[in-house]
Amino acid sequence: MSGLRTSLISREVIPFYLSLAALGGAALAIDAVLHLANIVWVGRYLGIPGVVLILASSGYSMRKRKLIRSGKPASLLRWHERLAWAGSLLVLVHAGIHFNAILAWLAVWAMLINIASGLTGKYLLGRSRTRLEATRTQLRAQGLSAEDLEEKTYWDSLTFDVVKAWRVVHLPITLAFGVLALAHIISALLFWGWR
């Protein structure tokens, strides 16, 4: 059991936290470079390409909901993860360490919760799928009929279906982030100080 626990931690828990740490570390590093180079003002504009990348990452969601027909879901999912990560990185650098903008920080926190939700779903779904397939493979090797196989994997299949329903939680979090980000963008445009 100890080997299984160690394997679970090294395969799933550590990559999850490393993904979050890499995002935070990269944001801090870029922010530090901007400060050292005395070009902190660049961060003000990084929110724009960050939002564009996050919006571009929605191709996967649109494909899943049949709003677009082109693209392979697995490939679009990888692009979704990469573009959302890169966009979130730029938004975090854009946010910097300015604590005077409450709406902006609410949007950033909603984005971070959205990232954590997405990564949680990614790892939970992967783990559930792997476990279900391993169980099915093991039972097929024992020579079980298709009917017996379905009966024996009923609870694993049910668990996998429940984990797939994680998207029901992820979508409202994404919408909250979208609303807060849009409110921040509108207020920034209104109070930008155009000169």
Side-chain angles (χ1 to χ4, degrees), residues 19-33:
S19 298
L20 288 177
L23 182 63
L28 290 172
I30 293 170
D31 197 45
V33 167

Side-chain angles (χ1 to χ4, degrees), residues 5-92:
R5 185 177 304 141
T6 303
S7 176
L8 172 66
I9 290 171
S10 66
R11 262 193 354 258
E12 307 197 21
V13 175
I14 291 173
F16 171 76
Y17 284 110
L18 285 177
S19 298
L20 288 177
L23 182 63
L28 290 172
I30 293 170
D31 197 45
V33 167
L34 293 176
H35 278 83
L36 289 172
N38 202 22
I39 54 172
V40 178
W41 60 269
V42 170
R44 181 177 189 187
Y45 298 97
L46 290 180
I48 297 166
V51 168
V52 169
L53 287 172
I54 291 171
L55 289 174
S57 78
S58 66
Y60 171 72
S61 299
M62 293 190 318
R63 177 73 166 95
K64 291 286 289 184
R65 288 167 183 73
K66 296 180 175 45
L67 297 173
I68 61 171
R69 298 198 188 281
S70 61
K72 295 178 182 173
S75 177
L76 288 172
L77 177 59
R78 282 190 298 280
W79 277 105
H80 169 72
E81 292 168 353
R82 291 175 186 147
L83 291 173
W85 193 91
S88 298
L89 173 64
L90 294 177
V91 169
L92 283 174

